Amino acid sequence: MNTELAIPDARARLTRAWLGRRWPTLLLSIVLASFAVGPQWLLTRELPYNLLVFAIPAQQALLLAALACNAFRFGIRPGVVGWPLLAVLLLLLQSVTAADLDPRLTVTRMMIAAFGLALPWSLPELAVESGMRARYALLIALLPSLCTGVGLVLQAAGLHLALAGSATRVFRLHGASNAGWLACLAFVGFAVALHEAIRGRRLGFAALAAVNVAIAVMTGGRMGLGAGVVFAVTYCLLDRGIRQRLARVPRPII
C-alpha cells in the first residue's frame, strides 16, 4: 500500500467528516452574526428599491435555512411545550378571517408577521451542536455592540451615519443599520444576556446586559426599552431564586 497516497486520502475523509458535522454550526453562526449589519440601510444609495425590499426577507430566509439545517443534523429537543406556536396559528387564522377590514392587511404580510411571532418560540425546540448553546448566547448578546462598532467604522470612512441627528437636534444611535433595528437587537441581546447572567451567575453577561440597555437608550427606541422592562420584571417574577431573595427583603424597602 502506498502510504503517501493513503495519508492525504485519510485527511480528505476527515475534513469532509468535520465539515459534515460542523457545517450547520458554521452556517448558523455566520447568519446570526450577519444581523449585526442592516444591508437595507447601508445599501440605500447603491441598490434600486425593488431589490432593497428583499434585504430583510433574505436575511430571514437564511436564518430559517440555517435553523432547518441544524434541525436536520441535530434533531429536535423533546419535552418542549409548543402551545405558543398554536396561539400564533390561531392569531393568523383570526387575522386572515378579518383581512377584509383593511385592504393593507394582505395574506403575505400576515404570514410574514406570523413567522416573526413564531420564530422565538420555535428556537427552544431545535437542538444545536453540543456545547454551542452558550456560544450562540454570547454571539447574540454581542450583536448590538458589533452593530455599533461596525457603524462607527463606516461613519469614519464616510459610508454611513452611525450617529445621526434629527430635526429636533436629538442624536440617535443607528450603528450599522438604523435606530429601530439596533433597538430590536439591543432588546434581544439584553434578554439573552440577562438570562445567562442569572442562570449561570456570569458577571460578563451581566455587564453585556447593562451595555445593551445603554445602547437601547442611545437609539431612542421606546418600544425596545419598554419590552426590556417588561421582560426583566416578568423574568424576575417567574424565577424562583429571585423570588426567594426578594422575600427576604423587608417589605417597606420593596
Side-chain angles (χ1 to χ4, degrees):
M1 179 179 179
N2 191 335
T3 56
E4 294 182 357
L5 293 177
I7 292 175
D9 186 55
R11 289 176 179 172
R13 287 198 297 270
L14 288 174
T15 301
R16 288 195 296 269
W18 183 85
L19 283 175
R21 173 179 173 78
R22 297 303 301 271
W23 168 245
T25 299
L26 292 173
L27 178 61
L28 183 55
S29 300
I30 293 171
V31 172
L32 287 176
S34 75
F35 279 86
V37 176
Q40 62 275 25
W41 292 287
L42 296 184
L43 302 176
T44 303
R45 291 174 293 183
E46 285 74 20
L47 290 179
Y49 178 77
N50 58 344
L51 292 179
L52 206 59
V53 294
F54 291 104
I56 292 179
Q59 279 188 308
Q60 294 173 337
L62 285 174
L63 178 60
L64 184 61
L67 293 173
C69 288
N70 274 262
F72 180 79
R73 175 64 181 82
F74 302 109
I76 304 294
R77 295 175 56 194
V80 178
V81 180
W83 64 262
L85 296 177
L86 177 61
V88 172
L89 290 176
L90 291 175
L91 180 61
L92 176 62
L93 179 62
Q94 179 255 335
S95 300
V96 172
T97 305
D100 58 342
L101 298 178
D102 192 329
R104 294 171 297 179
L105 290 176
T106 63
V107 175
T108 302
R109 289 182 177 180
M110 287 185 284
M111 291 289 291
I112 293 174
F115 171 72
L117 286 172
L119 185 58
W121 303 106
S122 304
L123 289 175
E125 300 189 19
L126 300 178
V128 295
E129 183 180 350
S130 178
M132 284 300 299
R133 191 201 64 81
R135 297 183 185 181
Y136 286 139
L138 178 60
L139 176 58
I140 294 172
L142 284 171
L143 283 180
S145 299
L146 290 174
C147 184
T148 302
V150 173
L152 292 175
V153 170
L154 293 175
Q155 178 167 302
L159 301 175
H160 178 69
L161 285 177
L163 188 65
S166 63
T168 57
R169 296 184 179 180
V170 176
F171 284 89
R172 300 182 67 183
L173 183 63
H174 293 265
S177 55
N178 77 343
W181 180 279
L182 182 53
C184 180
L185 286 183
F187 161 66
V188 175
F190 165 74
V192 171
L194 180 67
H195 174 65
E196 292 296 320
I198 295 176
R199 176 181 179 178
R201 300 182 183 276
R202 301 175 181 178
L203 292 178
F205 275 101
L208 279 177
V211 169
N212 289 334
V213 169
I215 291 175
V217 171
M218 294 178 68
T219 65
R222 296 182 296 274
M223 291 300 295
L225 281 173
V229 171
V230 171
F231 176 85
V233 172
T234 305
Y235 191 98
C236 292
L237 291 176
L238 293 177
D239 187 87
R240 183 180 302 174
I242 295 178
R243 291 203 311 268
Q244 291 175 350
R245 287 194 290 271
L246 287 176
R248 294 193 292 267
V249 177
R251 291 188 179 276
I253 295 179
I254 294 179

